Amino acid sequence: MPISTLPATSSRFKTILWVSLGLTVLFVFITSELLLITDYPMYHAYRLQVIADRHLLIPHTLAGIFALLIGPINFSSRIRQRHLQLHRILGRIYVISVFVGSFTGIALAWGRPGLPGTSMQAAAWIVCTTAAFLSARNRQIVQHRQWMARSYAVTFTFVSSRVLNLVPAYWSHLGDVLSAVGVIAFTLASLLIVDLGLNWHELTTRRD
Ligand code: HEM
């Protein structure tokens, strides 16, 4: 549907959604990443681990940032309609970023208690992104958009799982097992929320 004929409520919903996601990214950037860089005492031990892991973390973070930023650009109907080639190039960079982010993520968790949770998150990221890529190649555009929404939901778990980082009970007392379960729970919840959103019309409207 051309952007000009999109129902006003759908377009308003999209704007509110992207503004909320953007504000959440900003909040997490300040309360997690900026405080990590400036050696906030609660994050000190983790900071030492991040420094030791820097060789894997640099490609991992770059790939993650690409995936996080390309999402909103490629979901824009306006950009897709006017610059299809740009959409395709960014889409390929997104797919490569997800694979790089997933494998470096698994390598970072290797030998640590977080491995099962991270592997499950990486598997969901790869499966949704590969399905989105294949459906695009087959010109199955409805399915392509749905799988991209699922894939981006997994990308966004990096942000959502850090919103509560400043709460001491969340940051330091969860323990290894609960943290791994937490990663899986965030991934599952994100996918379910997206699927509820994708089926919202069918769930709330009775067929004649
Ligand atoms: C938007 C996408 C992502 C970005 C920008 C990103 C970036 C980062 C950054 C900056 C760190 C170190 C600082 C911190 O923990 O805050 C990190 C750590 C890590 N990330 Fe990612 N990441 C993303 C998605 C993922 C995904 C989907 C996975 C799972 C496959 C993952 C696995 C890990 C692991 C295992 C660590 C080490 C943390 C730990 O040991 O607790 N990341 N990531």
Side-chain angles (χ1 to χ4, degrees), residues 33 36 46 49 57 60-61 64-65 68 102 105 108-109 112 118 121-122 125 155 158 162:
E33 307 311 314
L36 187 64
Y46 182 59
Q49 182 188 312
L57 263 177
H60 175 78
T61 305
I65 290 173
L68 202 61
S102 297
L108 279 162
R112 293 181 182 155
T118 301
Q121 193 185 12
W125 213 14
T155 304
F158 166 76
R162 282 166 173 76

Side-chain angles (χ1 to χ4, degrees), residues 157-179:
T157 54
F158 166 76
V159 178
S160 51
S161 63
R162 282 166 173 76
V163 167
L164 294 178
N165 269 1
L166 276 188
V167 179
Y170 180 80
W171 176 255
S172 23
H173 302 303
L174 268 188
D176 292 336
V177 175
L178 266 187
S179 298

Side-chain angles (χ1 to χ4, degrees), residues 5-142:
T5 57
L6 265 182
T9 41
S10 156
S11 159
R12 203 174 316 129
F13 171 76
K14 267 183 144 185
T15 308
I16 294 171
L17 179 70
W18 284 115
V19 170
S20 315
L21 296 183
L23 290 175
T24 313
V25 170
L26 191 65
F27 177 77
V28 166
F29 176 72
I30 295 167
T31 57
S32 288
E33 307 311 314
L34 222 55
L35 289 185
L36 187 64
I37 292 167
T38 53
D39 208 2
Y40 182 63
M42 196 168 76
Y43 296 159
H44 182 69
Y46 182 59
R47 187 171 187 272
L48 297 179
Q49 182 188 312
V50 164
I51 293 170
D53 287 341
R54 63 188 176 282
H55 301 298
L56 276 172
L57 263 177
I58 292 169
H60 175 78
T61 305
L62 283 175
I65 290 173
F66 276 135
L68 202 61
L69 294 180
I70 287 172
I73 302 173
N74 267 14
F75 277 115
S76 158
S77 315
R78 203 184 301 265
I79 294 178
R80 208 169 45 244
Q81 278 159 14
R82 295 191 186 159
H83 309 283
L84 189 56
Q85 198 52 25
L86 176 70
H87 178 86
R88 288 194 177 124
I89 293 168
L90 290 180
R92 284 184 197 136
I93 298 175
Y94 180 90
V95 173
I96 295 167
S97 302
V98 167
F99 274 80
V100 172
S102 297
F103 287 113
T104 48
I106 290 174
L108 279 162
W110 200 261
R112 293 181 182 155
L115 184 62
T118 301
S119 305
M120 146 83 210
Q121 193 185 12
W125 213 14
I126 287 176
V127 168
C128 294
T129 309
T130 305
F133 178 70
L134 292 177
S135 45
R137 300 268 314 203
N138 290 331
R139 305 282 185 270
Q140 304 284 358
I141 301 308
V142 174

